[in-house]
Amino acid sequence: MQVTGKVVVVTGGANGIGKALCEAFHRAGAAKVIVADMDSGGARAVAASIDGAAFQCDVAQEKDILHVIEETERQFGPIALFCSNAGIGGGFDPLSENAGGISDEPWTKSWAVHVMAHVYAARHLIPRMKARGGGYFLNTISAAGLLSQVGSPAYSTTKHAAVGFAENLAISHRAHGIKVSILCPQGVDTNMLRSIPKGPQSGDGDLSPAQVAEDALRGIEQETFLILPHPQVLDYIRKKTENYDRWIGGMAKIQARMRETYGE
Ligand SMILES: NC(=O)c1ccc[n+]([C@@H]2O[C@H](COP(=O)([O-])OP(=O)(O)OC[C@H]3O[C@@H](n4cnc5c(N)ncnc54)[C@H](O)[C@@H]3O)[C@@H](O)[C@H]2O)c1
C-alpha cells in the first residue's frame, strides 16, 4: 500500500519509533497523520511539526482507542493505516530471579498495552475496513516476540501473543482486503531501550528510529507481513525452529553471562 494521500494513525507517536513513523508517513505524502499517545504534550509537538493532529490516548483503554478512531474518521476521513506501536518496557530483571515475577502488575500492564490495544484497534476498525473493502494494520512488536528477551518474561510473552494475534488478524481478513505487517526490530535507540540494562537486544547494533521507520514504510509498500529491520533475526528464527533445544541452550548461556555482568 502506498501511504500517499492516506489517513494514518500511530499510537505511541509522541516519541521514539512512533515519532519516526509519523515523520516518515508525512514525508511519504500521507494526507493526515494522527499522533495518539498518553504523552499529550509530546503528541502535540510531533503533530505540529508534520501538520498532523494529536489525540491523548491510553491504548490500554478500549474507549480511548474507539475515540481516536471515531474522531479521526469524523474529522479527516477513513483510516487507511492504523499503527499499534505504543509499548512499555517494564518488568526487566537481568538476574531473572524468578520468571514468574513477584506480582501481576507488569503482566497485566504489558498484556493491556502489547496485546489488548491491538485487539481493540481491530475490533473497531475491521467493520469499517470491511465495509470499504480494505485497510492496513502495522503492529510494532519486537524481535522479542519471535525469539524472546532474556531477563524480560512479561515483555517476551506479551510480544509473542501480539505476533499470534497479528497472524490471526491477517489470516481472518485477507479475504476482506485487509493487510497486516509486524515490525520486529532488536535494539532501537529510544527512551525505552535506554531505560533497561544493556543486553543481547543490542548485540547486532542499535538502529535509529528513523532507519526503522524507513524499513516499516518499505514493508508496507511491499505488503510484507514480517518486517525485520535487523535482517539477522530471520537467521535466528530459522536456527530456533531447526533445533529448539539447542536454541534454549544458547539463550540460557546469554542469561548466564547477564547474571555474571549484573550479579552481586
Ligand atoms: N526501542 C527498542 O529497542 C525496541 C525494540 C523492539 C520493539 N520496540 C517496540 O517499539 C514500540 C515503540 O517503543 P519505543 O522504543 O519507541 O519506546 P518509547 O518509550 O520511545 O516510546 C513509546 C511511546 O509509547 C507511549 N505509550 C506508552 N504506553 C502508552 C499507552 N498505554 N497509551 C498510549 N501511549 C503509550 C509513550 O508515551 C511513548 O511516547 C514499542 O511497542 C516497543 O515495545 C522497541
Side-chain angles (χ1 to χ4, degrees), residues 161-174 180 225:
V163 172
F165 180 67
E167 287 174 355
N168 206 277
L169 185 62
I171 293 164
S172 301
H173 298 295
R174 176 174 282 229
V180 182
F225 179 75

Side-chain angles (χ1 to χ4, degrees), residues 9-11 65 82-86 117-119 121-122 137-141:
V9 175
V10 182
T11 72
I65 302 234
F82 192 99
C83 306
S84 284
N85 165 81
H118 300 196
V119 174
F137 293 93
L138 171 75
N139 292 348
T140 305
I141 305 184

Side-chain angles (χ1 to χ4, degrees), residues 40-82:
S40 53
R44 278 199 302 276
V46 173
S49 73
I50 58 169
D51 192 26
F55 285 105
Q56 184 167 20
C57 157
D58 175 359
V59 298
Q61 305 295 325
E62 181 171 9
K63 65 174 175 35
D64 285 17
I65 302 234
L66 178 59
H67 176 74
V68 169
I69 291 170
E70 284 179 341
E71 273 307 297
T72 298
E73 298 215 338
R74 194 181 64 77
Q75 293 180 36
F76 307 109
I79 296 166
L81 168 64
F82 192 99

Side-chain angles (χ1 to χ4, degrees), residues 15 17 37 57-59 85 140-141 155 159 186 188 190:
N15 296 285
I17 296 169
D37 205 293
C57 157
D58 175 359
V59 298
N85 165 81
T140 305
I141 305 184
Y155 188 83
K159 291 292 188 178
Q186 299 189 91
V188 186
T190 68

Side-chain angles (χ1 to χ4, degrees), residues 9-234:
V9 175
V10 182
T11 72
N15 296 285
I17 296 169
K19 176 171 184 265
L21 285 172
C22 290
E23 291 165 348
F25 296 142
H26 175 64
R27 274 197 305 276
K32 194 57 93 177
V33 179
I34 312 305
V35 190
D37 205 293
M38 273 176 113
D39 171 3
S40 53
R44 278 199 302 276
V46 173
S49 73
I50 58 169
D51 192 26
F55 285 105
Q56 184 167 20
C57 157
D58 175 359
V59 298
Q61 305 295 325
E62 181 171 9
K63 65 174 175 35
D64 285 17
I65 302 234
L66 178 59
H67 176 74
V68 169
I69 291 170
E70 284 179 341
E71 273 307 297
T72 298
E73 298 215 338
R74 194 181 64 77
Q75 293 180 36
F76 307 109
I79 296 166
L81 168 64
F82 192 99
C83 306
S84 284
N85 165 81
I88 50 173
F92 195 94
D93 170 17
L95 302 182
S96 292
E97 298 278 4
N98 183 338
I102 52 167
S103 80
D104 285 355
E105 202 239 335
W107 293 91
T108 48
K109 264 190 162 167
S110 300
W111 180 257
V113 175
H114 296 154
V115 186
M116 292 315 293
H118 300 196
V119 174
Y120 299 146
R123 184 174 294 164
H124 296 293
L125 269 171
I126 292 285
R128 292 165 187 259
M129 288 178 171
K130 274 166 99 170
R132 50 190 180 240
Y136 210 116
F137 293 93
L138 171 75
N139 292 348
T140 305
I141 305 184
S142 170
L146 303 162
L147 297 164
S148 218
Q149 175 149 345
V150 176
S152 218
Y155 188 83
S156 301
T157 306
T158 55
K159 291 292 188 178
H160 273 71
V163 172
F165 180 67
E167 287 174 355
N168 206 277
L169 185 62
I171 293 164
S172 301
H173 298 295
R174 176 174 282 229
H176 304 121
I178 295 168
K179 305 281 169 45
V180 182
S181 292
I182 59 172
L183 179 60
C184 296
Q186 299 189 91
V188 186
D189 185 19
T190 68
N191 293 337
M192 180 187 290
L193 187 69
R194 283 175 228 124
S195 74
I196 63 170
K198 222 170 162 45
Q201 66 275 6
S202 297
D204 294 311
D206 297 333
L207 297 178
S208 70
Q211 173 66 56
V212 172
E214 281 309 316
D215 290 342
L217 186 61
R218 229 182 349 268
I220 291 165
E221 285 168 357
Q222 293 166 0
E223 302 186 351
T224 312
F225 179 75
L226 182 59
I227 303 176
L228 296 175
H230 295 82
Q232 299 90 335
V233 171
L234 190 58

Side-chain angles (χ1 to χ4, degrees), residues 147-150 200 246-257:
L147 297 164
S148 218
Q149 175 149 345
V150 176
R246 188 181 57 200
W247 177 79
I248 296 277
M251 293 297 272
K253 281 187 192 146
I254 294 174
Q255 174 66 80
R257 280 203 295 277

